[in-house]
Amino acid sequence: MNENILIVDDEKEIADLIEVYLKNDGYIVHKFYNGIDALECIKSQKMDLAILDVMLPDVDGFHICQKIREQYFYPIIMLTAKVEDTDKIMGLTIGADDYITKPFNPLEVVARVKTQLRRYVRYNNATNVEVKEIPIDEYGLIINKNTHKCKLYGKEIALTPIEFSILWYLCENRGKVISSEELFENVWGEKFLDNNNTVMAHIGRLREKLKEPAKNPKFIKTVWGVGYTIEK
């Protein structure tokens, strides 16, 4: 494997436990108990995935997530002792890919890491796969599955693998209304739960990147009580 995993958690026992399980699976772990040291490491060391605790003694996990997203698109998993949806939505909105609530089974963390890395590798190796797809061009939006690039009015938009997959699925099914359940199960490959706000948070971030007005979006439209659609 040899992928570099960043762990940032001020609870030493938790950070050490995750480290043991990840190292047993062959990952290279870079572990920190505070945010400042982690941020310094990010500048000099190439990472493949980050696991960030929300509550830290210096800078919080949200800040670290934002700093990572300014330059990098590798997966980010947030850890939190809180169960409020607002914290989850906040993390997903600023660019996190997944969320795990404490206490948790360390085997679940390893499984989530593997899932996120598979998706990330598939995204970055897309140009080496012979996929007979054509760009989708709708009202100045061009999205190409072969190159995993998206342009709006000729300017490239930086999308994370999850954001690209959501937008591609909506474009591929344009004219249809796609429920949050269908979108989640096709993009994340997991069972959808009724209280899951993950899709909503990512749709909000996609709209921001597409310069969509909140009240009357041009591309991704909400059909209240049903789901989302990109019209033909």
Side-chain angles (χ1 to χ4, degrees):
M1 290 182 179
N2 296 325
E3 287 96 338
N4 287 280
I5 310 295
L6 175 70
I7 301 174
V8 190
D9 197 317
D10 64 327
E11 294 186 66
K12 186 176 184 299
E13 295 80 6
I14 291 178
D16 293 350
L17 183 63
I18 297 174
E19 178 187 29
V20 168
Y21 275 80
L22 289 175
K23 281 188 172 181
N24 284 343
D25 263 46
Y27 296 105
I28 300 170
V29 175
H30 304 263
K31 179 182 63 179
F32 298 94
Y33 304 127
N34 65 79
I36 298 297
D37 290 342
L39 286 170
E40 286 301 313
C41 177
I42 291 167
K43 295 177 184 177
S44 59
Q45 177 67 53
K46 178 186 176 297
M47 296 297 173
D48 297 292
L49 182 142
I51 300 173
L52 309 176
D53 186 26
V54 170
M55 301 299 293
L56 294 168
D58 42 14
V59 296
D60 62 32
F62 295 140
H63 177 77
I64 300 173
C65 180
Q66 287 177 308
K67 284 297 184 183
I68 291 174
R69 283 291 173 256
E70 287 176 4
Q71 298 184 61
Y72 308 109
F73 296 102
Y74 53 77
I76 298 173
I77 300 174
M78 305 295 293
L79 302 178
T80 180
K82 297 182 178 181
V83 295
E84 288 87 352
D85 282 345
T86 51
D87 289 312
K88 183 174 182 179
I89 292 171
M90 174 66 173
L92 295 171
T93 300
I94 62 176
D97 298 281
D98 203 355
Y99 225 92
I100 300 177
T101 304
K102 300 175 182 178
F104 50 76
N105 185 326
L107 291 175
E108 178 190 359
V109 177
V110 175
R112 299 282 189 96
V113 165
K114 290 180 178 178
T115 297
Q116 291 297 332
L117 286 173
R118 278 198 302 269
R119 182 179 292 123
Y120 183 62
V121 170
R122 196 162 59 238
Y123 174 90
N124 284 284
N125 291 340
T127 54
N128 297 325
V129 180
E130 289 192 19
V131 182
K132 299 299 182 181
E133 298 279 5
I134 60 172
I136 293 174
D137 190 344
E138 289 292 314
Y139 314 111
L141 175 66
I142 300 175
I143 180 169
N144 189 315
K145 196 173 184 179
N146 286 351
T147 60
H148 271 248
K149 292 185 183 297
C150 178
K151 291 184 178 181
L152 181 61
Y153 308 124
K155 184 178 180 180
E156 188 170 333
I157 303 172
L159 300 179
T160 66
I162 288 286
E163 291 165 352
F164 184 93
S165 296
I166 291 172
L167 186 57
W168 178 265
Y169 193 83
L170 290 173
C171 286
E172 193 177 35
N173 291 279
R174 60 196 188 280
K176 300 177 183 178
V177 180
I178 306 299
S179 67
S180 293
E181 179 179 1
E182 179 182 347
L183 198 54
F184 185 86
E185 293 184 355
N186 278 276
V187 172
W188 277 265
E190 300 175 11
K191 183 67 177 175
F192 179 82
L193 301 176
D194 289 338
N195 62 348
N196 194 326
N197 292 303
T198 303
V199 172
M200 181 180 68
H202 278 86
I203 290 290
R205 186 166 175 81
L206 259 175
R207 283 173 170 161
E208 285 183 16
K209 291 188 175 183
L210 294 172
K211 312 296 183 186
E212 294 263 61
K215 293 185 178 180
N216 186 29
K218 181 178 180 181
F219 299 107
I220 305 174
K221 297 184 180 294
T222 300
V223 180
W224 294 107
V226 185
Y228 304 97
T229 186
I230 291 181
E231 297 176 343
K232 280 190 173 182

